[in-house]
Amino acid sequence: MTNLLEDIESAVYRGLGFILAQQDTEGSWTDWELPPGASSEWTTAYIGFRLSGLHTPFRQRISEPLDRAACWLLAHRFPNGGWGYNPTVESDADSTALAMIFLTSTHHEPPDDAYDYLRRFQQQDGGFSTFLQDGLMGSWGRSHAEITPVALLALQTHRGGLPDEILTRGLNWIHRMRRANGTWNSFWWSTPLPATEANLALLAALECPADMPPILQDREPDDNLQTAYLLSITAYAESDQRMYDLARFLINAQGQDGSWQSGPALRIPQRNCERPRGQLLSGPSFADPMRLFTTATVISALSKAHWIIVSKSRESYDSDQYMRTHRSVY
């Protein structure tokens, strides 16, 4: 297992080198080329969210770049109190929640009105929508399975805590939306993996972890982004051999520049499309041309795998040491 740990460390550091080299001098990252243009606010919030969750020793090396990114986000909050894809699009729950989680992880307190703003996205059914509902948003203003858990995680970071009523309604919606095969359907993604990973992360944070969905045990991912989500899911479920295999796959797939490339996965459904899976109205799909989104996701997943392997190695060592010390008891 030592070689795998060393290979993970090497891959993560190379990936971090790639991401940090793309950071603007003011602290932001820019990726994607969707119809509204490129994204700095959402991209910076997402990368900050992923990198701020890295385990030791990786996180210790990036404190200054993360601090600059957090300061940039605070300076680029939208007038209505949240954050969005870019300034040409109104703010959304996903960008806002990611920014808030990232800011609190770097000891930058989000303003109270950002929490007030995010609470407005909770719908009557208990879930959170990506955009606030109005006559133009259509399905974009309905509850989404990849947005709800991130919003709940963000609201929990408030110093006053998350009101029980908001959490209970959100969790009830999440449990209702879980499919019989153990996954959650994504609205904005062509795969259920992002929504499934986000919901498992929330349940793990609330100390009620869920099992690895059986349907994913033998699933063959289509690209590096899907592999990263699968690796993250196996880390939450502690599915050892599957975790090792996926980590090794990603290590071997890393590019010469330290990045990981992915295929088109982010989709923009038409607003009258309620369930975009396999429908004509599901809209076009996009990949991240700068490879920052995918690379940050891969690094995050590899860091989780690294932490679990190290933790289990320590547990094994501690157990063996205890047995040697107290052999007479046995």
Side-chain angles (χ1 to χ4, degrees):
M1 203 55 62
T2 302
N3 288 339
L4 179 57
L5 281 174
E6 292 175 351
D7 290 345
I8 289 175
E9 290 172 7
S10 175
V12 170
Y13 287 132
R14 291 178 59 215
L16 285 173
F18 172 80
I19 289 179
L20 297 182
Q22 309 304 313
Q23 187 178 27
D24 182 82
T25 55
E26 294 184 356
S28 69
W29 285 280
T30 301
D31 205 343
W32 300 102
E33 280 296 339
L34 305 186
S39 167
S40 292
E41 284 77 4
W42 176 53
T43 300
T44 301
Y46 183 85
I47 292 175
F49 164 74
R50 288 293 181 182
L51 298 192
S52 64
L54 298 184
H55 294 284
T56 304
F58 310 120
R59 172 66 189 270
Q60 295 171 334
R61 298 197 179 188
I62 55 175
S63 58
E64 190 277 332
L66 290 183
D67 185 71
R68 284 195 291 118
C71 291
W72 185 89
L73 275 175
L74 281 172
H76 288 78
R77 192 163 66 116
F78 291 7
N80 61 10
W83 287 266
Y85 175 81
N86 70 23
T88 70
V89 183
E90 65 182 87
S91 53
D92 61 78
D94 188 34
S95 303
T96 301
L98 291 170
M100 291 163 63
I101 297 171
F102 169 44
L103 288 171
T104 54
S105 72
T106 53
H107 308 293
H108 291 80
E109 193 73 28
D112 284 340
D113 61 344
Y115 290 94
D116 295 335
Y117 181 69
L118 183 58
R119 292 189 193 99
R120 295 173 56 194
F121 288 84
Q122 188 168 35
Q123 303 299 302
Q124 290 186 351
D125 59 12
F128 283 74
S129 60
T130 307
F131 292 94
L132 291 175
Q133 230 176 21
D134 61 28
L136 299 176
M137 284 304 171
S139 59
W140 294 16
R142 308 282 193 269
S143 295
H144 298 140
E146 63 266 57
I147 306 302
T148 300
V150 182
L152 291 174
L153 281 172
L155 290 173
Q156 280 200 306
T157 65
H158 191 263
R159 58 182 176 275
L162 175 61
D164 290 340
E165 188 265 343
I166 293 178
L167 178 61
T168 299
R169 291 176 58 219
L171 284 175
N172 286 340
W173 185 86
I174 284 171
H175 289 307
R176 291 198 307 271
M177 291 301 106
R178 192 173 194 185
R179 303 169 66 197
N181 63 17
T183 66
W184 284 263
N185 280 325
S186 302
F187 180 81
W188 297 102
W189 300 92
S190 58
T191 165
L193 296 176
T196 300
E197 189 234 14
N199 282 284
L200 291 178
L202 171 67
L203 295 176
L206 296 175
E207 298 184 353
C208 50
D211 293 334
M212 173 84 169
I215 194 173
L216 300 182
Q217 287 284 3
D218 300 315
R219 180 182 176 122
E220 291 298 327
D222 295 332
D223 54 41
N224 293 324
L225 184 60
Q226 287 194 21
T227 306
Y229 284 124
L230 264 178
L231 176 57
S232 184
I233 289 168
T234 60
Y236 288 124
E238 298 192 23
S239 179
D240 289 352
Q241 189 56 53
R242 180 71 160 149
M243 182 176 67
Y244 303 150
D245 293 341
L246 292 169
R248 179 61 64 188
F249 177 90
L250 287 170
I251 290 168
N252 293 334
Q254 188 171 26
Q256 291 288 333
D257 60 1
S259 72
W260 282 269
Q261 193 165 12
S262 185
L266 176 64
R267 62 187 173 198
I268 310 297
Q270 295 186 25
R271 301 184 192 197
N272 60 343
C273 181
E274 296 290 338
R275 294 180 175 83
R277 296 172 295 284
Q279 296 187 16
L280 292 176
L281 298 178
S282 61
S285 294
F286 300 84
D288 50 331
M290 301 301 295
R291 305 182 300 285
L292 291 168
F293 188 98
T294 298
T295 300
T297 309
V298 172
I299 287 174
S300 172
L302 286 174
S303 172
K304 291 172 188 172
H306 183 277
W307 181 80
I308 288 174
I309 294 170
V310 169
S311 298
K312 290 192 172 185
S313 298
R314 287 173 179 166
E315 290 173 5
S316 176
Y317 173 80
D318 291 345
S319 176
D320 291 344
Q321 183 68 29
Y322 183 89
M323 290 289 286
R324 288 193 295 271
T325 305
H326 303 276
R327 190 171 292 140
S328 59
V329 177
Y330 302 91

